[in-house]
Amino acid sequence: MTAYKGWNAKILKDGQVIGTAREVRVTVDHSLERYYVPFSRTPYEIREGQIKIDGTIRKLWVDKTYLTLLANTGVLSNFDLELQVKNLHLYIYNCKFSKGEITVPQDGWITEDLDFIGSSIAVVET
């Protein structure tokens, strides 16, 4: 299981920045399993399972147009997430918030933690 913490986190919808976050944690779980042959105590092979991508966004600021879209449709729409970790850019695609509670103060910063699930991840070195 790989965990990333990044800064300069951007929330993208259709290529446009609709929000930023001060802290994001992304976990990539490959669901590795040991495969044993009969009468052996050591694994013969380690096999990869399904990949699960999830994480938490903290201290989120979201553009009011996104909140308007969310309120009008009543459904959680997909978004992409871009993180900068030193000289790497991580892109998490087709994310959705899985659970969370939102209180939007006057300054626009959401201080609650929001959990999300993503479908794929790409790492680009700059």
Side-chain angles (χ1 to χ4, degrees):
M1 180 166 52
T2 306
Y4 299 100
K5 280 190 170 183
W7 52 282
N8 282 345
K10 298 175 187 169
I11 296 152
L12 308 169
K13 177 71 178 167
D14 299 327
Q16 300 293 321
V17 177
I18 60 167
T20 58
R22 293 188 184 168
E23 184 178 338
V24 176
R25 180 177 176 87
V26 179
T27 305
V28 181
D29 183 3
H30 290 273
S31 303
L32 298 176
E33 296 181 1
R34 294 174 186 91
Y35 174 72
Y36 293 91
V37 296
F39 308 110
S40 175
R41 294 182 58 191
T42 58
Y44 172 74
E45 183 179 37
I46 297 176
R47 296 183 178 174
E48 290 188 17
Q50 296 178 342
I51 296 176
K52 300 173 190 166
I53 302 168
D54 58 2
T56 304
I57 297 176
R58 304 177 106 187
K59 296 182 182 173
L60 169 69
W61 179 84
V62 180
D63 188 359
K64 66 181 179 180
T65 56
Y66 180 69
L67 293 175
T68 304
L69 289 172
L70 188 64
N72 289 340
T73 60
V75 296
L76 294 173
S77 56
N78 292 351
F79 62 91
D80 297 330
L81 192 58
E82 178 187 348
L83 294 172
Q84 184 177 352
V85 181
K86 295 186 180 178
N87 61 343
L88 297 176
H89 284 270
L90 278 91
Y91 296 93
I92 299 100
Y93 298 106
N94 296 324
C95 298
K96 277 194 175 187
F97 290 118
S98 59
K99 61 180 178 177
E101 177 180 315
I102 298 176
T103 304
V104 183
Q106 187 174 5
D107 62 358
W109 287 98
I110 299 170
T111 56
E112 292 86 0
D113 297 347
L114 297 171
D115 297 330
F116 67 91
I117 297 174
S119 66
S120 62
I121 188 168
V123 179
V124 178
E125 189 171 354
T126 56

